[in-house]
Amino acid sequence: MNKPRVLLSNDDGITAPGLRALAAALNADGFCTFAVSAPSGERSAQSHCITVGKHLHTWELPVEGAEEAYAVEGTPADSVMIALYGPLLRNPGFNLVVSGINRGDNCGLHVIYSGTVGAAREAACKDVPAIAVSLDNYLARTEEQYAAAATYCVALMKAVLGVLPPPRSWAWPAGGASLAASLAGQVINVNVPQGAVGDVRGYYLAHQGQHCHFPNWTELEADGHVKEGHAGGVTLRAFRNAAGSLRGDATEGSDSWAVSQGYVAVTPVGLRSDLPLTVAAATQRVQPRALHALSTALVTAAGHLGAQAGGIPKEVVSAAAAAAEAAGAAASPLAAGVIAAANAAC
């Protein structure tokens, strides 16, 4: 049986410890083959920016366990785009694209700016299942600090790709469609709390909140070489932007709230930004199959790790249990515990 193929990318750069930690975890597990196409250096906050009108240079740079690995002198979205649709890789076919593990969270409105999410979104735009993974720790500089995030990411990947079967008491009634296929066309945005594996409570199906940093601009002396290019009467001013005050979102069920409670927040993010103009249009936007697929993946991954799966709508839990009962499946203690935790967290 052929192993699933995964593409790794990020926005922190191909040598970043988050990507290296995830690659090492995949290599150690061995459930998939993978390739890497990632920016050559730091490209955070690039959103979905792409390069047009000029050359895009790449070069090979080894990553542990990868069949192929290329540094791309472009944006995160460039890296995924050229891997999926350019002549860069020998085999551009992938079952899943994973972007990360990012240094720092991508909760709430950070999704809009995030290059990590942008890389995953590029895959989702082409109907390739995509996961963006971030660690809520801006100070994480070593691979060891990403161990818990890598563990939870690998378990979720295995569940989405069908490597881990769902619990017997949880049925996936999708007419033969795989979980991964049912999640195509959207980004699964994952935010992991900092700490060790044992500190994480489990997964939580969360909505996108309003969590956002405001900018903090400071004025600096203009660079000398830039001044030289502005001779004459031009008054040149220079500014630098950094993260300022944080507008948090403690709303129960939001992604930032889930992370603050010790959960891995898992949020499905769609590709459309417009607001539905009628109730009927809003109803048509609901994707019950995708919701059930993601819930199934969370329950499966949580059961594998002996963790909880919270935030899953009660109607999804009930439908899955009813479908399993109709199929004659007997509930397992582990699955029952995971589902009970999901019910309790709703």
Side-chain angles (χ1 to χ4, degrees), residues 70-88:
Y70 280 89
V72 179
E73 196 174 32
T75 69
D78 281 333
S79 301
V80 172
M81 183 182 288
I82 194 171
L84 295 181
Y85 290 96
L88 179 67

Side-chain angles (χ1 to χ4, degrees), residues 102-200:
N102 186 65
R103 180 172 62 86
D105 79 271
N106 275 304
C107 293
L109 302 185
H110 290 176
V111 166
I112 297 171
Y113 304 98
S114 170
T116 301
V117 176
R121 189 189 300 114
E122 176 55 34
C125 285
K126 310 303 189 292
D127 289 328
V128 180
I131 299 174
V133 189
S134 304
L135 174 64
D136 184 30
N137 183 359
Y138 288 93
L139 301 178
R141 302 287 184 179
T142 67
E143 290 187 26
E144 291 74 19
Q145 291 172 290
Y146 292 87
T151 296
Y152 271 82
C153 181
V154 169
L156 182 59
M157 292 169 63
K158 293 170 74 172
V160 166
L161 290 168
V163 176
L164 295 175
R168 292 183 60 196
S169 58
W170 183 283
W172 163 234
S178 68
L179 297 186
S182 299
L183 294 171
Q186 57 189 306
V187 175
I188 307 306
N189 188 35
V190 178
N191 285 278
V192 184
Q194 61 177 303
V197 173
D199 298 328
V200 181

Side-chain angles (χ1 to χ4, degrees), residues 25-51:
L26 293 178
N27 186 45
D29 189 285
F31 80 91
C32 69
T33 60
F34 65 95
V36 177
S37 179
S40 56
E42 174 68 61
R43 299 291 189 279
S44 293
Q46 295 292 294
S47 189
H48 207 129
C49 178
I50 60 172
T51 300

Side-chain angles (χ1 to χ4, degrees), residues 15-319:
T15 62
L19 184 146
R20 297 284 171 154
L22 181 55
L26 293 178
N27 186 45
D29 189 285
F31 80 91
C32 69
T33 60
F34 65 95
V36 177
S37 179
S40 56
E42 174 68 61
R43 299 291 189 279
S44 293
Q46 295 292 294
S47 189
H48 207 129
C49 178
I50 60 172
T51 300
V52 295
K54 63 179 183 179
H55 294 169
L56 189 65
H57 296 97
T58 72
W59 57 92
E60 287 190 276
L61 193 64
V63 173
E64 179 185 4
E67 291 184 330
E68 299 180 83
Y70 280 89
V72 179
E73 196 174 32
T75 69
D78 281 333
S79 301
V80 172
M81 183 182 288
I82 194 171
L84 295 181
Y85 290 96
L88 179 67
L89 302 178
R90 292 188 298 271
N91 182 358
F94 295 96
N95 304 103
L96 179 68
V97 172
V98 179
S99 179
I101 303 166
N102 186 65
R103 180 172 62 86
D105 79 271
N106 275 304
C107 293
L109 302 185
H110 290 176
V111 166
I112 297 171
Y113 304 98
S114 170
T116 301
V117 176
R121 189 189 300 114
E122 176 55 34
C125 285
K126 310 303 189 292
D127 289 328
V128 180
I131 299 174
V133 189
S134 304
L135 174 64
D136 184 30
N137 183 359
Y138 288 93
L139 301 178
R141 302 287 184 179
T142 67
E143 290 187 26
E144 291 74 19
Q145 291 172 290
Y146 292 87
T151 296
Y152 271 82
C153 181
V154 169
L156 182 59
M157 292 169 63
K158 293 170 74 172
V160 166
L161 290 168
V163 176
L164 295 175
R168 292 183 60 196
S169 58
W170 183 283
W172 163 234
S178 68
L179 297 186
S182 299
L183 294 171
Q186 57 189 306
V187 175
I188 307 306
N189 188 35
V190 178
N191 285 278
V192 184
Q194 61 177 303
V197 173
D199 298 328
V200 181
R201 298 173 65 181
Y203 300 95
Y204 197 99
L205 184 60
H207 68 260
Q208 182 183 345
Q210 296 290 317
H211 175 97
C212 185
H213 275 98
F214 282 77
N216 180 24
W217 289 100
T218 55
E219 187 162 7
L220 308 170
E221 181 68 24
D223 295 337
H225 71 279
V226 178
K227 286 182 177 181
E228 293 174 0
H230 290 79
V234 174
T235 299
L236 192 66
R237 301 175 68 190
F239 300 88
R240 185 179 181 87
N241 189 12
S245 61
L246 173 66
R247 182 186 66 194
D249 186 350
T251 305
E252 183 172 348
S254 70
D255 45 13
S256 53
W257 172 87
V259 170
S260 74
Q261 298 301 304
Y263 285 102
V264 175
V266 181
T267 305
V269 179
L271 300 179
R272 294 179 60 173
S273 301
D274 62 310
L275 291 173
L277 301 181
T278 64
V279 173
T283 302
Q284 290 175 354
R285 294 280 186 92
V286 178
Q287 299 185 47
R289 191 172 78 164
L291 178 59
H292 199 134
L294 185 54
S295 299
T296 300
L298 297 189
V299 169
T300 302
H304 174 69
L305 295 173
Q308 301 177 29
I312 299 175
K314 293 180 180 178
E315 57 268 27
V316 174
V317 176
S318 300

